[in-house]
Amino acid sequence: MKQTTACALDCYDACKIVVEESALRTIEGDKNHPVGNGALCALLNKSIHEEERIAKPRVDGVEVSMDEAMNAVKKAFESSPSLLWRGSGNMGVMQEVTNLFMERINGTLTHGSLCDGAGDAGIVEGRGVNRTLPLEQIVKAETVVVWGRNVTVTNAHMMPFLEGKNIVVIDPVQTAIAKKAAMHVQIQPRTDYYLAIMLSRFIYMEDSQDTPWLEEFASDHEEFYEFTQAHRIKAILQYIGTDLGEIGRLLNYLRHQKVVFLVGTGVQKYSTGASTLHAIDSLAALLGLFGKEGCGVHYLGNSKLGFENPFEVACKTVSKVTTPFSDFTTVLVQGGNPAASMPNSNRVCQELESVENLIYFGLYENETSKRAKIVLPAKNFFEKEDVRLSYGHQYVQKINQVVQRDIGISEYDFTKWLFDAFGFEGLQSEESYIDTWLKQCKEDEHGYISPAYEAIPYESGFGEEGDDEFVFIDEYDDDFINTKRFTKVRTSEKNKIEDERFWLLSPKSNKSLNTQFKRDNKVHMHPKHGYKEGTLLKLSSEYGTLELEVKHNVDLREDCLMVPNNTPGVNRLTPSVVSDEGESACYQEVKIVVEDVG
Ligand SMILES: Nc1nc2c(c(=O)[nH]1)N[C@H]1C(S)=C(S)[C@@H](COP(=O)(O)OP(=O)(O)OC[C@H]3O[C@@H](n4cnc5c(=O)[nH]c(N)nc54)[C@H](O)[C@@H]3O)O[C@H]1N2
Ligand SMILES: Nc1nc2c(c(=O)[nH]1)N[C@H]1C(S)=C(S)[C@@H](COP(=O)(O)OP(=O)(O)OC[C@H]3O[C@@H](n4cnc5c(=O)[nH]c(N)nc54)[C@H](O)[C@@H]3O)O[C@H]1N2
Ligand code: SF4
Ligand SMILES: [Mo]
């Protein structure tokens, strides 16, 4: 018998899955679903079935029964203050049911983001709300600009939608899609804001802006003109690593066409990430790319937009980026691996070690489970009921339990156990919560879709109600010439700007889903620097050090190192800086010194 479910891994695609019989012997994508294209990825076909699960709960390193473990959890929560730190290991909405318990015990949650928060804030500044550009609009585009997104790795099911289009890639790395693209701008990291402003400046110069649309939907476009004028062309193009010829070619792909920008998290892993998205949106607005067929900016959308969330609670919160773990007696880590995935791991691990009751609730052993006093195995998404929203498309899917295993406890059962143990009332049934989510959805021929779905987003205008105007970016206070952290200025050599340190890129890997599954262990570097493959290099930043072997990679700019984010220890190098807007982590706000240690 065939059953269907959906992949709950943190991924743009949120694939629909067809399962033959119950034993997961055959799983495949659903050919009829608009996203799946009938194929899943290697993580779902293989890794998830091979990865060793935590089978038994542990307390103080000793295996115990689930009941004993839950009693230890109860005891831990009797001591306050307590914190719930939730990761994104499972994207199902039922993950948040544990909020209801935290609310009852006056516990603390987190705010902010390790992921897309800076970019999201920039989008909200311009458009008021972050709506997802539907897939059927992407298909109608003539040009697609892939801007800081590694589509073939992180968003593989987008590829069929890009067939036959002019592809332009803006990325410091010559990614697989860059190799196939009509044009690749191999930009210096952290300069995307400037590129968007320069393009806008040239569009004004040649009068290619969409004036009728601007008059109706973005009347401050004259102030934006003034704002772009304040940016010096020559110095900025040099800083970005481009020239007038390249800008000219790029403009040929943008003017008078249906253009979609596919923007990834790569452009916004910086303190200035919100301004970057706001500048890219401003460029799109100038070209009149909102509210029209085949046009728009596709970033990670707000998947909960339009829903009333039954798990929304009024708890105190602390930062998810600079979490002060040691302020809490009890910390529940659910669906995450903060000891590896948060920035500035040295700080994080020190803090975690001083927590009296660290509870790890997850599927696999990792840097966090090994520090925990209580280890509680979870159920994976094949083993429980849930609802999957998506930040990449409009479809909402029911996650069905397709297999029954004796290990682990679901988030709902965990919450229910604690409600009962503490004598709290008012927790509804699991089905009723799932129903609450599903009944808010719209439906089309493929099933549920987001209640916020609009066939052509922002067609009538911006803001919640669609009656506001687009707001252009009008300030940026990060003048690169003055950003000493990033540029060592050597005035002796005729004002030449030089820096021997490297940018640190830490993108996603195709072997893993963040820190789940296979881990990498190399630093990618351009062979031009003369280090042989296998040389052990010590990487240092102001936050910590990490030793890794060199792997040659000619796809990188010479001023960049690449250490994928699944590499143990990579975040010892990264700062716990919070973005200027959006309370987001800034993993690439750092420069690295290398030293040959063998
Ligand atoms: N240097 C660097 N660091 C980064 C990034 C980067 O680009 N560079 N990216 C950041 C981004 S975008 C993100 S989203 C974060 C992700 O960081 P985290 O949210 O910490 O994600 P993971 O490290 O993958 O850990 C997920 C864990 O969830 C558990 N899990 C899976 N399914 C379930 C379930 O159903 N229930 C429970 N209870 N547990 C489950 C698994 O055991 C797994 O170990 O990492 C960030 N870290
Ligand atoms: N296989 C796999 N898929 C995943 C994940 C995974 O771990 N593995 N993680 C999921 C998660 S949590 C997320 S958030 C998404 C993120 O998916 P993406 O948005 O694709 O994010 P990244 O892979 O971090 O980086 C994207 C690209 O940005 C480029 N880049 C880095 N710095 C800059 C810059 O300053 N400017 C520009 N223009 N480009 C830059 C990198 O070279 C890289 O090619 O992927 C999801 N999908
Ligand atoms: S990880 Fe992404 S691509 Fe792979 S099956 Fe899940 S949703 Fe699809
Ligand atoms: Mo993410």
Side-chain angles (χ1 to χ4, degrees):
M1 200 189 69
K2 284 193 181 183
Q3 286 173 283
T4 63
T5 189
C7 178
L9 294 183
D10 185 350
C11 170
Y12 290 97
D13 297 350
C15 294
K16 184 164 176 186
I17 303 175
V18 181
V19 184
E20 295 257 11
E21 297 175 359
S22 59
L24 297 185
R25 256 177 296 145
T26 349
I27 70 167
E28 56 187 33
D30 184 346
K31 292 184 190 64
N32 302 320
H33 198 255
V35 196
N37 196 30
L40 301 171
C41 70
L43 301 178
L44 251 280
N45 288 328
K46 205 161 162 352
S47 312
I48 201 167
H49 310 292
E50 293 177 356
E51 193 67 16
E52 193 179 337
R53 297 272 292 273
I54 301 175
K56 289 244 165 65
R58 293 197 302 273
V59 176
D60 291 319
V62 179
E63 285 191 354
V64 297
S65 69
M66 186 57 85
D67 235 32
E68 286 167 314
M70 286 305 297
N71 275 308
V73 169
K74 172 175 185 252
K75 205 163 149 242
F77 278 120
E78 279 161 359
S79 321
S80 52
S82 12
L83 170 74
L84 165 57
W85 192 100
R86 184 185 297 107
S88 59
N90 178 326
M91 297 296 279
V93 298
M94 291 305 289
Q95 286 294 307
E96 284 192 8
V97 68
T98 47
N99 287 359
L100 301 178
F101 173 71
M102 293 310 286
E103 181 182 44
R104 294 302 178 96
I105 60 166
N106 200 19
T108 300
L109 304 180
T110 61
H111 62 260
S113 153
L114 299 184
C115 179
D116 60 337
D120 179 74
I123 285 176
V124 170
E125 278 166 37
R127 308 185 215 161
V129 284
N130 180 3
R131 295 187 188 279
T132 307
L133 183 68
L135 294 171
E136 64 269 19
Q137 299 307 332
I138 299 173
V139 157
K140 292 181 200 146
E142 290 159 298
T143 291
V144 173
V145 181
V146 180
W147 200 329
R149 189 188 299 185
N150 194 7
V151 259
T152 58
V153 171
T154 61
N155 187 198
H157 291 92
M158 184 62 83
M159 293 305 290
F161 293 85
L162 306 186
E163 252 163 53
K165 306 197 184 309
N166 299 316
I167 305 286
V168 175
V169 174
I170 303 170
D171 198 304
V173 181
Q174 200 185 0
T175 53
I177 187 141
K179 289 182 180 145
K180 291 199 274 184
M183 187 173 175
H184 174 209
V185 183
Q186 197 161 7
I187 191 172
Q188 173 170 191
R190 203 182 184 272
T191 63
D192 302 272
Y193 161 84
Y194 287 108
L195 181 58
I197 297 294
M198 281 297 111
L199 289 167
S200 303
R201 192 162 171 192
F202 284 101
I203 286 161
Y204 277 122
M205 258 192 237
E206 55 173 47
D207 217 12
S208 311
Q209 73 273 24
D210 185 343
T211 307
W213 185 88
L214 291 168
E215 289 300 328
E216 189 173 354
F217 293 106
S219 58
D220 64 352
H221 62 103
E222 276 160 29
E223 286 82 356
F224 184 52
Y225 171 74
E226 304 288 328
F227 180 69
T228 61
Q229 287 280 310
H231 291 71
R232 290 169 299 150
I233 294 174
K234 205 170 150 218
I236 289 178
L237 293 186
Q238 197 185 357
Y239 178 63
I240 297 171
T242 185
D243 56 30
L244 285 174
E246 201 172 40
I247 294 281
R249 280 196 290 137
L250 186 46
L251 286 169
N252 286 337
Y253 289 108
L254 302 181
R255 75 169 85 74
H256 313 306
Q257 297 203 43
K258 291 184 179 170
V259 182
V260 164
F261 293 98
L262 291 185
V263 187
T265 58
V267 303
Q268 56 93 69
K269 298 179 188 182
Y270 307 103
S271 58
T272 50
S275 297
T276 300
L277 256 299
H278 198 181
I280 293 173
D281 265 8
S282 296
L283 167 64
L286 195 60
L287 290 161
L289 299 178
F290 288 109
K292 292 187 194 153
E293 260 199 354
C295 300
V297 179
H298 181 276
Y299 178 63
L300 294 84
N302 175 358
S303 63
K304 293 205 169 86
L305 191 69
F307 283 100
E308 222 171 279
N309 180 353
F311 307 134
E312 201 167 288
V313 292
C315 289
K316 297 174 289 260
T317 59
V318 291
S319 166
K320 193 168 178 187
V321 181
T322 59
T323 319
F325 290 106
S326 58
D327 290 357
F328 298 90
T329 313
T330 298
V331 173
L332 169 63
V333 170
Q334 176 196 329
N337 184 13
S341 61
M342 281 178 73
N344 198 353
S345 320
N346 288 334
R347 184 200 76 88
V348 172
C349 293
Q350 216 173 11
E351 289 258 341
L352 287 175
E353 263 146 39
S354 68
V355 173
E356 194 178 314
N357 303 311
L358 179 63
I359 307 170
Y360 171 84
F361 183 18
L363 298 176
Y364 313 117
E365 301 291 0
N366 56 31
E367 289 89 336
T368 309
S369 71
K370 91 177 176 221
R371 292 180 163 84
K373 180 185 167 77
I374 304 175
V375 173
L376 205 64
K379 291 206 173 288
N380 75 17
F381 67 81
F382 289 116
E383 301 159 356
K384 59 197 173 197
E385 302 282 308
D386 214 323
V387 175
R388 175 66 156 101
L389 316 178
S390 167
Y391 54 75
H393 55 70
Q394 65 268 34
Y395 299 97
V396 172
Q397 298 169 75
K398 170 82 200 320
I399 293 181
N400 294 306
Q401 187 200 330
V402 292
V403 70
Q404 169 79 44
R405 287 207 187 91
D406 291 337
I407 58 173
I409 182 167
S410 73
E411 286 66 24
Y412 178 82
D413 287 339
F414 172 89
T415 308
K416 173 109 179 40
W417 196 102
L418 289 170
F419 261 70
D420 292 345
F422 278 80
F424 298 149
E425 280 174 14
L427 187 74
Q428 297 170 32
S429 70
E430 187 174 20
E431 304 78 71
S432 79
Y433 287 122
I434 286 175
D435 254 22
T436 301
W437 285 96
L438 291 178
K439 73 175 187 237
Q440 298 182 68
C441 295
K442 296 179 181 168
E443 283 184 63
D444 75 1
E445 71 271 28
H446 300 293
Y448 299 110
I449 53 176
S450 153
Y453 171 80
E454 290 177 358
I456 303 180
Y458 313 106
E459 202 174 10
S460 69
F462 296 87
E464 299 265 352
E465 309 297 330
D467 52 5
D468 291 340
E469 292 206 345
F470 180 83
V471 180
F472 281 101
I473 187 164
D474 62 0
E475 65 171 346
Y476 186 67
D477 47 14
D478 189 66
D479 182 1
F480 67 86
I481 295 295
N482 296 322
T483 319
K484 293 256 167 48
R485 269 181 77 187
F486 295 103
T487 340
K488 278 188 181 158
V489 185
R490 280 219 216 119
T491 39
S492 56
E493 289 173 44
K494 288 191 198 156
N495 289 328
K496 205 175 155 202
I497 298 167
E498 233 175 59
D499 192 345
E500 274 121 42
R501 298 168 305 168
F502 293 86
W503 292 104
L504 175 67
L505 308 179
S506 56
K508 312 296 178 185
S509 160
N510 57 3
K511 299 191 202 109
S512 71
L513 208 295
N514 297 319
T515 75
Q516 300 189 72
F517 316 127
K518 302 260 182 316
R519 309 290 288 270
D520 283 307
N521 60 359
K522 299 277 191 302
V523 50
H524 295 234
M525 189 182 219
H526 200 284
K528 273 232 168 118
H529 295 289
Y531 296 103
K532 288 210 182 76
E533 285 232 351
T535 308
L536 193 63
L537 285 190
K538 180 170 167 190
L539 315 186
S540 318
S541 74
E542 36 184 309
Y543 310 96
T545 62
L546 177 65
E547 291 187 2
L548 291 173
E549 284 182 8
V550 173
K551 184 181 160 106
H552 285 167
N553 189 337
V554 293
D555 300 334
L556 295 180
R557 282 172 59 102
E558 286 171 39
D559 57 1
C560 294
L561 301 176
M562 187 168 86
V563 181
N565 87 320
N566 63 341
T567 308
V570 61
N571 280 321
R572 280 189 231 145
L573 300 168
T574 59
S576 31
V577 167
V578 179
S579 58
D580 297 343
E581 287 140 283
E583 307 266 1
S584 207
C586 305
Y587 292 102
Q588 295 184 178
E589 189 91 350
V590 66
K591 279 210 154 179
I592 303 292
V593 175
V594 304
E595 193 187 330
D596 186 340
V597 288

